[in-house]
Amino acid sequence: MNTNKNDKFSATSQLENGTCTVYLRGELDLSVAPDFRQVMEPLVGDEALHLVINMKDLKYIDSTGIGILLSILKARHGMKAEFLVEEVPDQIQKLFDMTGIAKFFAAQENSQ
């Protein structure tokens, strides 16, 4: 599924061997938050899925986007379901570190 309401953000999911990876591209902010939630809602509730968010092509995230990630984390934790965030760009990792939320996201080693 691709949310391409505007050119600045997209979320594309790929299912392979029980793992659903959601690739984020562009800028995740208040204006596209409903689109991101719509993509994520059916995936978050499926506890059989290993859910991974790949941020390699994400350029920007605001507090609304961070809030959505935290709500996903909380929901997945409550279900004891896997949730990983991978390939976080340096500028976003710095934001995660500064806000203290980096420790809550399990990171996967880059497979490159």
Side-chain angles (χ1 to χ4, degrees):
M1 178 184 293
N2 188 359
T3 63
N4 209 5
K5 189 174 187 177
N6 62 37
D7 292 333
K8 69 179 189 171
F9 177 75
S10 69
T12 307
S13 59
Q14 177 182 341
L15 182 60
E16 186 176 322
N17 300 324
T19 298
C20 182
T21 304
V22 179
Y23 296 91
L24 303 184
R25 173 182 302 274
E27 298 180 2
L28 175 52
D29 61 18
L30 178 63
S31 69
V32 296
D35 299 327
F36 183 48
R37 280 193 183 99
Q38 185 176 12
V39 170
M40 296 306 299
E41 192 172 311
L43 303 174
V44 170
D46 187 345
E47 61 191 67
L49 280 180
H50 295 283
L51 185 58
V52 177
I53 294 187
N54 182 297
M55 297 186 170
K56 180 179 158 188
D57 295 319
L58 192 65
K59 304 296 180 213
Y60 172 81
I61 187 168
D62 71 358
S63 60
T64 304
I66 290 172
I68 295 169
L69 292 176
L70 289 172
S71 66
I72 293 168
L73 177 70
K74 183 178 178 181
R76 298 292 288 181
H77 181 73
M79 298 184 309
K80 298 188 182 347
E82 187 173 0
F83 176 57
L84 300 172
V85 175
E86 68 179 8
E87 297 192 69
V88 180
D90 289 343
Q91 73 273 16
I92 294 173
Q93 184 63 51
K94 285 178 188 169
L95 178 62
F96 286 179
D97 291 340
M98 284 180 9
T99 58
I101 65 169
K103 62 187 173 206
F104 298 112
F105 294 124
Q108 208 170 277
E109 291 299 316
N110 289 347
S111 56
Q112 296 175 356

